[in-house]
Amino acid sequence: MIEVSRLNNLIKLCLTGLSPRQKEVIEGRYGLAASESLTLAELGSKYSLTRERVRQIEATALKAAKAKAESGEFGDFVKTASASLKSAGGLKREDLFIEELAGAGQVNRLRFLLEISEKFNYSKADKGFYPYWYLNDSDKKKAESFAGYLVKNASRDNFSASFAAAAKNFGLNDSVARSYASVSKKVARNVFGNLGLSQWPEINPKTARDWAYLVLKKESRPLHFTKIAEMVTGLRNKKAHAPTVHNELIKDENFVLVGKGTYTLKEFGVVPGTARELILHFLKKHGPM
C-alpha cells in the first residue's frame, strides 16, 4: 500500500511551478485540499471568474502537471498501479483499486495522480457497470464480455459451477474472473460473501421473506421463526419482528412447516404436511410398511 506521505509528495511534485491560482483551481477541481471536488461554475463563483476562464486555467495547469509526471519518482507510482491492474487482468473496480493502493480515504488524490499519468483509462459508472480503471481497450472489452456472458448463463442452483465454466470459456483464472465480475452491477455478494446475481433475493434480500430464505439457505437446517427473526435482525441491523416473519413464511409454499413454529426450505426435499399426511405420503410411495 502506498503511504499517504508518498502521495502528498507526488502531488506536491506535480503542482510545483504552478501559479497560486492554478494550484487553487486544480486542488478545487480534484478535491485535493477538501473531501469534495468543485465544479467549474463553483470555482468561477469563488474567484469571480467565468466558467470558461476556470476551464482554461485548469487545462494549462494540467498540462504542466502532466509534464512533471514523467519523473523517476512518479514512474515508481505508475509501476505500482500498473502491477495492481495487471494482476487483475488489466482492470479493477475503482473502489477496490483505490482501497488496495492507498485506502478509501485517498480517493481524490489517487484519481488525480492516475489521471495525469496518462497511463491509465477510466470508465464512468453507467446502468450496467461500476466505475473502474483499466490499462487498455482489449481488457475493457474482455471484462465486459465476460460479465455479460456470466449473467446470461448464471445458474441459480449452482452459481459456482456456472462461474467456473464462464471463466474457463474466457481463459481466465479465478482471481481475474472475480475482478471482471466485480465491475458488473448485475453481479454481487450477499452478507455471507456468496457470489450471485444481484437480482436474486438470496444475494440482494429486501423483504422479510427474502432475509428468512437467506438465513435458512445458509443454515441448511430447520429453525423456529423467532430464531429466524433474531438472525435476520443481526444481519441487516434492523429489527425483524417475529410475527411478521411468521406471517411471511406460513403463506409461502417455498417454506415448509416441520414443527410448531419451525420452518425449513422446500428445496431441501422436505415433504410438507401433518404426521398423518406424511404417513400417507410414504405408504403411497413405498407400499405397505
Side-chain angles (χ1 to χ4, degrees), residues 3 10 31 34 85 89 94 132 150 187 192 213 220 252 256 259 284:
E3 296 181 357
L10 287 172
L85 290 180
E94 183 178 47
Y132 61 85
L150 176 63
V187 181
F192 297 120
Y213 177 86
S220 299
D252 192 319
V256 180
K284 288 179 180 180

Side-chain angles (χ1 to χ4, degrees), residues 25-88:
V25 167
I26 292 298
E27 288 175 345
R29 288 291 284 146
Y30 286 89
L32 300 181
S35 59
E36 294 184 2
S37 59
L38 300 176
T39 65
L40 293 173
E42 288 171 332
L43 284 169
S45 177
K46 182 177 180 179
Y47 299 116
S48 299
L49 298 171
T50 64
R51 183 177 180 278
E52 176 58 23
R53 180 54 186 152
V54 174
R55 187 195 65 75
Q56 291 173 356
I57 294 173
E58 179 188 15
T60 302
L62 282 177
K63 184 177 181 180
K66 289 176 180 179
K68 296 287 179 57
E70 307 204 354
S71 68
E73 186 177 355
F74 201 92
D76 291 337
F77 164 76
V78 171
K79 288 180 181 178
T80 299
S82 296
S84 176
L85 290 180
K86 287 178 181 178
S87 68

Side-chain angles (χ1 to χ4, degrees), residues 148-160:
Y149 180 90
L150 176 63
V151 171
K152 183 178 179 180
N153 295 279
S155 168
R156 191 171 178 181
D157 293 330
N158 194 341
F159 184 80
S160 295

